[in-house]
Amino acid sequence: MISILTAGVVGLVVSILGTPLAIRWLVRRGYGQAIRDELSENHQTKRGTPTMGGAVIIVAAVVAYFVAHLVRPSPPTVSGLLVLFLIVGLGIVGFLDDWIKISKQRSLGLRSRAKMGGQVAVAVVFAILAINFPDEQGYTPASQALSVLRDTPWVLPAAVFVLWALFLISGFSNAVNLTDGLDGLATGASVMVFGAYTLIGVWQLNQSCGVAPGPSCYEVRDPLDLAVVAAAMVGACFGFLWWNAAPAKIFMGDTGSLALGGGLAGLAITTRTELLLIVLGGLFVLITLSVMLQVGWFKISGGKRLFRMAPLQHHFELKGWGEVTIVIRFWIIAGMFVVLGLGLFYAEWVATA
Protein backbone atom coordinates (compact mmCIF):
# COMPACT_ATOMS: atom_id res chain seq x y z
CA MET A 1 0.00 0.00 0.00
CA ILE A 2 3.05 2.26 0.27
CA SER A 3 3.05 2.60 -3.51
CA ILE A 4 -0.58 3.80 -3.50
CA LEU A 5 0.10 6.43 -0.83
CA THR A 6 3.28 7.51 -2.61
CA ALA A 7 1.45 7.92 -5.92
CA GLY A 8 -1.24 10.05 -4.33
CA VAL A 9 1.17 12.30 -2.42
CA VAL A 10 3.60 12.76 -5.31
CA GLY A 11 0.75 13.48 -7.73
CA LEU A 12 -0.61 16.10 -5.33
CA VAL A 13 2.77 17.79 -4.75
CA VAL A 14 3.81 17.86 -8.42
CA SER A 15 0.42 19.21 -9.46
CA ILE A 16 -0.03 21.84 -6.75
CA LEU A 17 3.52 23.17 -7.26
CA GLY A 18 3.64 22.71 -11.03
CA THR A 19 0.33 24.40 -11.85
CA PRO A 20 1.40 27.98 -10.90
CA LEU A 21 4.51 27.50 -13.03
CA ALA A 22 2.28 26.50 -15.93
CA ILE A 23 0.02 29.49 -15.28
CA ARG A 24 2.94 31.94 -15.49
CA TRP A 25 4.30 30.28 -18.64
CA LEU A 26 0.90 30.33 -20.36
CA VAL A 27 0.17 33.93 -19.35
CA ARG A 28 3.51 35.15 -20.73
CA ARG A 29 2.63 33.64 -24.10
CA GLY A 30 -0.97 34.80 -24.07
CA TYR A 31 -2.42 31.29 -24.23
CA GLY A 32 -5.86 32.11 -22.87
CA GLN A 33 -9.28 30.50 -23.16
CA ALA A 34 -11.71 31.64 -25.84
CA ILE A 35 -15.32 31.82 -24.59
CA ARG A 36 -18.50 31.03 -26.53
CA ASP A 37 -20.52 34.20 -27.12
CA GLU A 38 -23.82 32.59 -26.01
CA LEU A 39 -22.53 31.92 -22.49
CA SER A 40 -23.45 34.24 -19.63
CA GLU A 41 -21.69 37.50 -18.79
CA ASN A 42 -19.97 35.75 -15.87
CA HIS A 43 -18.24 33.48 -18.37
CA GLN A 44 -17.17 36.36 -20.58
CA THR A 45 -15.07 37.69 -17.69
CA LYS A 46 -13.07 34.44 -17.87
CA ARG A 47 -11.92 35.17 -21.40
CA GLY A 48 -8.14 34.92 -21.53
CA THR A 49 -7.76 32.65 -18.48
CA PRO A 50 -4.87 30.23 -19.17
CA THR A 51 -6.00 26.86 -20.49
CA MET A 52 -4.37 23.50 -21.34
CA GLY A 53 -3.81 23.00 -17.60
CA GLY A 54 -4.74 19.36 -18.02
CA ALA A 55 -1.16 18.83 -19.16
CA VAL A 56 -0.09 19.41 -15.54
CA ILE A 57 -2.50 16.72 -14.33
CA ILE A 58 -1.14 14.25 -16.87
CA VAL A 59 2.52 14.98 -16.10
CA ALA A 60 1.89 14.84 -12.35
CA ALA A 61 0.11 11.49 -12.61
CA VAL A 62 2.80 9.93 -14.82
CA VAL A 63 5.60 11.18 -12.54
CA ALA A 64 3.71 9.93 -9.47
CA TYR A 65 3.21 6.49 -11.01
CA PHE A 66 6.89 5.95 -11.77
CA VAL A 67 8.08 7.45 -8.47
CA ALA A 68 5.77 5.02 -6.67
CA HIS A 69 7.51 2.15 -8.45
CA LEU A 70 10.91 3.54 -7.46
CA VAL A 71 9.97 3.95 -3.79
CA ARG A 72 8.80 0.36 -3.62
CA PRO A 73 10.91 -1.23 -6.38
CA SER A 74 8.69 -3.15 -8.76
CA PRO A 75 8.35 -3.13 -12.52
CA PRO A 76 5.39 -1.28 -14.04
CA THR A 77 2.62 -3.60 -15.19
CA VAL A 78 1.03 -3.85 -18.61
CA SER A 79 -2.36 -2.87 -17.16
CA GLY A 80 -1.03 0.26 -15.50
CA LEU A 81 0.95 1.32 -18.56
CA LEU A 82 -2.04 0.81 -20.85
CA VAL A 83 -4.27 3.05 -18.73
CA LEU A 84 -1.51 5.67 -18.68
CA PHE A 85 -1.20 5.32 -22.47
CA LEU A 86 -4.92 6.04 -22.76
CA ILE A 87 -4.64 9.09 -20.49
CA VAL A 88 -1.61 10.50 -22.32
CA GLY A 89 -2.92 9.64 -25.80
CA LEU A 90 -6.27 11.33 -25.30
CA GLY A 91 -4.49 14.21 -23.57
CA ILE A 92 -2.48 14.77 -26.75
CA VAL A 93 -5.69 14.83 -28.82
CA GLY A 94 -7.13 17.38 -26.39
CA PHE A 95 -3.90 19.40 -26.45
CA LEU A 96 -4.10 19.73 -30.24
CA ASP A 97 -7.71 20.87 -29.89
CA ASP A 98 -6.76 23.45 -27.23
CA TRP A 99 -3.76 24.63 -29.23
CA ILE A 100 -5.90 25.44 -32.26
CA LYS A 101 -8.38 27.31 -30.05
CA ILE A 102 -5.77 29.56 -28.47
CA SER A 103 -3.67 30.06 -31.59
CA LYS A 104 -6.73 30.97 -33.67
CA GLN A 105 -8.47 32.70 -30.70
CA ARG A 106 -11.75 30.92 -31.28
CA SER A 107 -13.99 28.66 -29.18
CA LEU A 108 -13.78 25.75 -31.65
CA GLY A 109 -10.57 23.75 -32.08
CA LEU A 110 -10.08 20.57 -34.08
CA ARG A 111 -12.74 19.75 -36.59
CA SER A 112 -15.13 17.15 -35.19
CA ARG A 113 -13.91 14.45 -37.59
CA ALA A 114 -10.27 15.03 -36.72
CA LYS A 115 -10.99 15.07 -33.00
CA MET A 116 -13.06 11.91 -33.15
CA GLY A 117 -10.45 10.29 -35.37
CA GLY A 118 -7.78 10.90 -32.75
CA GLN A 119 -9.99 9.48 -30.00
CA VAL A 120 -10.79 6.42 -32.12
CA ALA A 121 -7.13 5.74 -32.91
CA VAL A 122 -6.04 5.90 -29.26
CA ALA A 123 -9.01 3.87 -28.02
CA VAL A 124 -8.64 1.12 -30.64
CA VAL A 125 -4.92 0.69 -29.94
CA PHE A 126 -5.69 0.48 -26.21
CA ALA A 127 -8.48 -2.07 -26.73
CA ILE A 128 -6.43 -4.34 -28.99
CA LEU A 129 -3.42 -4.32 -26.67
CA ALA A 130 -5.60 -4.81 -23.59
CA ILE A 131 -6.85 -8.25 -24.69
CA ASN A 132 -3.29 -9.46 -25.21
CA PHE A 133 -0.31 -9.94 -22.87
CA PRO A 134 -1.66 -12.69 -20.59
CA ASP A 135 0.16 -13.19 -17.27
CA GLU A 136 1.09 -16.52 -15.67
CA GLN A 137 -2.57 -17.08 -14.66
CA GLY A 138 -3.73 -16.32 -18.19
CA TYR A 139 -5.30 -12.97 -17.24
CA THR A 140 -5.04 -10.18 -19.81
CA PRO A 141 -5.37 -6.48 -18.85
CA ALA A 142 -8.94 -6.49 -20.20
CA SER A 143 -11.44 -9.27 -20.68
CA GLN A 144 -13.67 -9.77 -23.69
CA ALA A 145 -16.51 -10.63 -21.30
CA LEU A 146 -19.00 -7.85 -20.70
CA SER A 147 -18.57 -6.71 -17.10
CA VAL A 148 -20.81 -5.04 -14.54
CA LEU A 149 -19.32 -5.56 -11.08
CA ARG A 150 -17.11 -8.33 -12.44
CA ASP A 151 -17.05 -10.34 -15.67
CA THR A 152 -20.39 -11.78 -16.81
CA PRO A 153 -20.82 -14.99 -18.88
CA TRP A 154 -21.40 -12.88 -22.02
CA VAL A 155 -18.13 -13.00 -23.93
CA LEU A 156 -17.84 -10.60 -26.86
CA PRO A 157 -15.98 -11.39 -30.07
CA ALA A 158 -12.71 -9.47 -30.26
CA ALA A 159 -14.00 -7.01 -32.87
CA VAL A 160 -17.17 -6.34 -30.86
CA PHE A 161 -15.11 -5.83 -27.69
CA VAL A 162 -12.98 -3.23 -29.48
CA LEU A 163 -16.14 -1.38 -30.54
CA TRP A 164 -17.52 -1.61 -26.98
CA ALA A 165 -14.28 -0.25 -25.53
CA LEU A 166 -14.31 2.53 -28.12
CA PHE A 167 -17.85 3.45 -27.09
CA LEU A 168 -16.93 3.60 -23.39
CA ILE A 169 -13.72 5.56 -23.92
CA SER A 170 -15.10 8.10 -26.38
CA GLY A 171 -18.33 8.37 -24.39
CA PHE A 172 -16.68 9.16 -21.07
CA SER A 173 -13.94 11.36 -22.49
CA ASN A 174 -16.62 13.48 -24.14
CA ALA A 175 -18.81 13.32 -21.01
CA VAL A 176 -16.06 14.81 -18.83
CA ASN A 177 -15.45 17.37 -21.58
CA LEU A 178 -19.12 18.44 -21.42
CA THR A 179 -18.96 18.62 -17.62
CA ASP A 180 -15.93 20.91 -17.70
CA GLY A 181 -17.95 24.11 -17.99
CA LEU A 182 -17.70 25.62 -14.50
CA ASP A 183 -14.67 26.25 -12.32
CA GLY A 184 -13.60 23.05 -10.58
CA LEU A 185 -16.70 21.05 -11.51
CA ALA A 186 -15.15 18.31 -13.64
CA THR A 187 -11.94 18.21 -11.58
CA GLY A 188 -13.74 17.70 -8.26
CA ALA A 189 -16.14 15.10 -9.65
CA SER A 190 -13.24 13.21 -11.24
CA VAL A 191 -11.39 13.10 -7.91
CA MET A 192 -14.31 11.20 -6.39
CA VAL A 193 -14.52 8.61 -9.15
CA PHE A 194 -10.76 8.06 -9.29
CA GLY A 195 -10.87 7.70 -5.50
CA ALA A 196 -13.52 5.01 -5.90
CA TYR A 197 -11.29 3.13 -8.34
CA THR A 198 -8.42 3.33 -5.87
CA LEU A 199 -10.62 1.56 -3.31
CA ILE A 200 -11.85 -0.95 -5.89
CA GLY A 201 -8.28 -1.82 -6.87
CA VAL A 202 -7.28 -2.36 -3.22
CA TRP A 203 -10.36 -4.50 -2.58
CA GLN A 204 -9.77 -6.59 -5.71
CA LEU A 205 -6.16 -7.13 -4.64
CA ASN A 206 -7.16 -8.34 -1.18
CA GLN A 207 -9.92 -10.54 -2.61
CA SER A 208 -8.10 -11.76 -5.70
CA CYS A 209 -8.35 -15.41 -6.63
CA GLY A 210 -4.63 -15.81 -5.99
CA VAL A 211 -4.96 -14.51 -2.42
CA ALA A 212 -8.48 -15.49 -1.35
CA PRO A 213 -9.79 -18.19 -3.73
CA GLY A 214 -13.52 -18.76 -3.63
CA PRO A 215 -16.78 -17.93 -5.43
CA SER A 216 -16.43 -14.20 -4.70
CA CYS A 217 -12.77 -13.74 -5.70
CA TYR A 218 -11.77 -11.36 -8.48
CA GLU A 219 -9.99 -12.45 -11.66
CA VAL A 220 -8.33 -9.12 -12.40
CA ARG A 221 -4.81 -8.65 -13.63
CA ASP A 222 -2.64 -6.13 -11.72
CA PRO A 223 -5.29 -4.67 -9.35
CA LEU A 224 -2.61 -3.07 -7.15
CA ASP A 225 -1.03 -1.23 -10.07
CA LEU A 226 -4.44 -0.03 -11.24
CA ALA A 227 -5.00 1.37 -7.75
CA VAL A 228 -1.63 3.14 -8.04
CA VAL A 229 -2.70 4.76 -11.32
CA ALA A 230 -6.04 5.81 -9.82
CA ALA A 231 -4.33 7.23 -6.71
CA ALA A 232 -1.88 9.16 -8.89
CA MET A 233 -4.83 10.71 -10.71
CA VAL A 234 -6.55 11.54 -7.41
CA GLY A 235 -3.47 13.40 -6.19
CA ALA A 236 -2.89 15.14 -9.52
CA CYS A 237 -6.51 16.31 -9.73
CA PHE A 238 -6.54 17.47 -6.10
CA GLY A 239 -3.43 19.59 -6.66
CA PHE A 240 -4.87 21.09 -9.82
CA LEU A 241 -8.19 21.79 -8.08
CA TRP A 242 -6.39 24.19 -5.72
CA TRP A 243 -5.88 26.50 -8.71
CA ASN A 244 -8.93 25.45 -10.74
CA ALA A 245 -11.54 26.16 -8.03
CA ALA A 246 -13.59 29.34 -8.43
CA PRO A 247 -12.35 31.82 -9.40
CA ALA A 248 -10.19 29.59 -11.57
CA LYS A 249 -6.65 30.70 -12.28
CA ILE A 250 -6.36 28.05 -15.00
CA PHE A 251 -8.61 25.70 -16.97
CA MET A 252 -7.83 22.08 -17.74
CA GLY A 253 -9.10 22.44 -21.30
CA ASP A 254 -9.74 19.48 -23.58
CA THR A 255 -6.20 18.36 -22.71
CA GLY A 256 -7.43 17.48 -19.24
CA SER A 257 -11.07 16.56 -19.80
CA LEU A 258 -10.39 14.00 -22.56
CA ALA A 259 -7.55 12.50 -20.52
CA LEU A 260 -9.62 12.23 -17.33
CA GLY A 261 -12.59 10.66 -19.09
CA GLY A 262 -10.34 8.21 -20.90
CA GLY A 263 -8.61 7.32 -17.65
CA LEU A 264 -11.93 6.54 -15.98
CA ALA A 265 -13.02 4.34 -18.89
CA GLY A 266 -9.63 2.60 -18.94
CA LEU A 267 -9.87 1.79 -15.24
CA ALA A 268 -13.42 0.50 -15.68
CA ILE A 269 -12.32 -1.83 -18.48
CA THR A 270 -9.22 -3.14 -16.71
CA THR A 271 -10.95 -3.63 -13.34
CA ARG A 272 -13.85 -5.46 -15.02
CA THR A 273 -16.41 -2.88 -13.87
CA GLU A 274 -17.46 -1.44 -17.20
CA LEU A 275 -21.17 -0.88 -16.53
CA LEU A 276 -20.53 0.12 -12.91
CA LEU A 277 -18.80 3.21 -14.32
CA ILE A 278 -22.22 4.46 -15.43
CA VAL A 279 -23.19 4.63 -11.75
CA LEU A 280 -19.84 5.82 -10.35
CA GLY A 281 -19.68 8.52 -13.02
CA GLY A 282 -23.40 9.25 -12.80
CA LEU A 283 -22.94 13.02 -12.83
CA PHE A 284 -21.07 12.82 -16.14
CA VAL A 285 -23.83 10.61 -17.53
CA LEU A 286 -26.58 13.02 -16.43
CA ILE A 287 -24.84 15.99 -18.01
CA THR A 288 -24.30 14.09 -21.26
CA LEU A 289 -27.96 13.00 -21.28
CA SER A 290 -29.01 16.64 -20.88
CA VAL A 291 -27.21 17.49 -24.11
CA MET A 292 -28.70 14.50 -25.94
CA LEU A 293 -32.22 15.34 -24.72
CA GLN A 294 -31.80 18.99 -25.64
CA VAL A 295 -30.70 18.17 -29.18
CA GLY A 296 -33.34 15.46 -29.62
CA TRP A 297 -36.20 17.61 -28.30
CA PHE A 298 -35.06 20.56 -30.41
CA LYS A 299 -35.32 18.44 -33.56
CA ILE A 300 -38.59 16.71 -32.62
CA SER A 301 -40.41 19.82 -31.39
CA GLY A 302 -39.39 22.02 -34.28
CA GLY A 303 -36.98 24.30 -32.44
CA LYS A 304 -38.20 24.23 -28.82
CA ARG A 305 -35.74 23.78 -25.96
CA LEU A 306 -36.11 21.36 -23.08
CA PHE A 307 -33.53 23.24 -20.98
CA ARG A 308 -32.64 26.91 -21.08
CA MET A 309 -29.19 25.81 -22.16
CA ALA A 310 -27.24 22.56 -22.31
CA PRO A 311 -25.11 21.08 -20.79
CA LEU A 312 -27.20 20.95 -17.61
CA GLN A 313 -24.96 23.17 -15.44
CA HIS A 314 -25.57 26.12 -17.77
CA HIS A 315 -29.35 25.64 -17.46
CA PHE A 316 -29.07 26.34 -13.73
CA GLU A 317 -26.79 29.30 -14.40
CA LEU A 318 -29.50 30.88 -16.52
CA LYS A 319 -32.01 30.15 -13.74
CA GLY A 320 -29.95 32.42 -11.51
CA TRP A 321 -27.93 29.91 -9.46
CA GLY A 322 -24.44 31.10 -8.54
CA GLU A 323 -21.51 29.25 -10.05
CA VAL A 324 -20.13 28.06 -6.71
CA THR A 325 -23.61 26.88 -5.66
CA ILE A 326 -23.97 24.81 -8.82
CA VAL A 327 -20.50 23.30 -8.47
CA ILE A 328 -20.98 22.30 -4.83
CA ARG A 329 -24.43 20.83 -5.43
CA PHE A 330 -23.20 18.92 -8.46
CA TRP A 331 -20.26 17.64 -6.39
CA ILE A 332 -22.78 16.38 -3.85
CA ILE A 333 -24.65 14.58 -6.63
CA ALA A 334 -21.36 13.12 -7.90
CA GLY A 335 -20.53 11.92 -4.39
CA MET A 336 -23.93 10.27 -4.01
CA PHE A 337 -23.41 8.36 -7.25
CA VAL A 338 -19.96 7.23 -6.09
CA VAL A 339 -21.33 6.02 -2.75
CA LEU A 340 -24.11 4.17 -4.57
CA GLY A 341 -21.64 2.55 -6.95
CA LEU A 342 -19.30 1.44 -4.16
CA GLY A 343 -22.29 0.15 -2.22
CA LEU A 344 -23.37 -1.97 -5.19
CA PHE A 345 -19.82 -3.24 -5.62
CA TYR A 346 -19.55 -4.32 -1.97
CA ALA A 347 -23.10 -5.71 -1.81
CA GLU A 348 -22.41 -7.98 -4.78
CA TRP A 349 -19.29 -9.33 -3.06
CA VAL A 350 -21.23 -10.00 0.16
CA ALA A 351 -23.99 -11.76 -1.80
CA THR A 352 -21.52 -14.11 -3.51
CA ALA A 353 -19.20 -14.69 -0.53
Side-chain angles (χ1 to χ4, degrees):
M1 301 307 163
I2 295 298
S3 57
I4 295 174
L5 293 173
T6 300
V9 171
V10 173
L12 172 65
V13 171
V14 173
S15 184
I16 202 169
L17 297 180
T19 302
L21 298 178
I23 292 172
R24 287 196 289 271
W25 187 85
L26 291 166
V27 168
R28 281 200 301 269
R29 285 157 178 77
Y31 295 161
Q33 176 71 49
I35 303 295
R36 290 159 52 191
D37 293 333
E38 64 268 27
L39 290 176
S40 67
E41 185 177 341
N42 289 338
H43 282 271
Q44 301 308 321
T45 63
K46 300 178 183 181
R47 192 182 302 272
T49 300
T51 188
M52 296 192 297
V56 178
I57 299 176
I58 297 170
V59 170
V62 172
V63 169
Y65 174 80
F66 286 105
V67 169
H69 280 279
L70 291 175
V71 169
R72 187 172 183 182
S74 60
T77 67
V78 175
S79 300
L81 291 175
L82 278 175
V83 176
L84 286 179
F85 162 77
L86 194 55
I87 292 169
V88 174
L90 290 175
I92 291 172
V93 175
F95 178 85
L96 293 174
D97 189 52
D98 287 333
W99 180 260
I100 292 174
K101 289 177 184 176
I102 61 176
S103 62
K104 304 283 188 181
Q105 280 299 298
R106 65 188 192 193
S107 60
L108 297 176
L110 282 173
R111 296 186 182 276
S112 58
R113 287 186 180 180
K115 188 174 180 179
M116 180 57 68
Q119 291 175 285
V120 168
V122 174
V124 167
V125 171
F126 167 84
I128 292 173
L129 293 177
I131 53 176
N132 289 284
F133 304 104
D135 62 8
E136 55 272 14
Q137 283 82 39
Y139 300 152
T140 52
S143 168
Q144 290 177 222
L146 185 67
S147 62
V148 183
L149 302 166
R150 62 177 77 233
D151 281 345
T152 67
W154 298 307
V155 178
L156 306 175
V160 176
F161 167 77
V162 171
L163 292 175
W164 168 237
L166 171 60
F167 173 76
L168 275 180
I169 294 165
S170 62
F172 264 87
S173 60
N174 288 316
V176 177
N177 184 241
L178 290 172
T179 304
D180 185 33
L182 300 180
D183 295 353
L185 177 56
T187 312
S190 296
V191 165
M192 299 181 204
V193 187
F194 280 118
Y197 273 110
T198 304
L199 295 176
I200 287 172
V202 171
W203 186 259
Q204 289 179 334
L205 172 68
N206 294 333
Q207 306 299 326
S208 66
C209 293
V211 174
S216 61
C217 69
Y218 295 96
E219 297 178 333
V220 174
R221 175 172 177 167
D222 313 315
L224 174 60
D225 211 38
L226 294 173
V228 170
V229 173
M233 291 299 292
V234 169
C237 288
F238 254 133
F240 184 75
L241 185 58
W242 181 274
W243 305 99
N244 183 232
K249 301 294 189 295
I250 188 171
F251 300 140
M252 71 166 70
D254 284 14
T255 306
S257 59
L258 296 187
L260 295 185
L264 293 175
L267 287 169
I269 292 169
T270 51
T271 59
R272 317 294 204 263
T273 55
E274 294 159 358
L275 294 180
L276 181 63
L277 179 58
I278 296 174
V279 180
L280 292 171
L283 176 66
F284 303 123
V285 174
L286 282 179
I287 288 175
T288 303
L289 284 175
S290 73
V291 175
M292 296 170 65
L293 290 172
Q294 180 85 318
V295 173
W297 183 251
F298 188 85
K299 292 180 178 179
I300 292 172
S301 65
K304 294 182 179 179
R305 297 177 184 271
L306 190 60
F307 304 103
R308 294 189 180 186
M309 188 175 181
L312 189 61
Q313 62 269 29
H314 298 311
H315 166 78
F316 289 104
E317 270 195 299
L318 295 180
K319 283 178 65 70
W321 289 22
E323 180 173 8
V324 174
T325 299
I326 298 170
V327 170
I328 292 175
R329 288 177 178 174
F330 275 41
W331 280 353
I332 293 171
I333 294 170
M336 292 169 65
F337 275 117
V338 167
V339 170
L340 175 61
L342 289 175
L344 292 172
F345 181 79
Y346 180 70
E348 187 272 343
W349 180 83
V350 171
T352 57

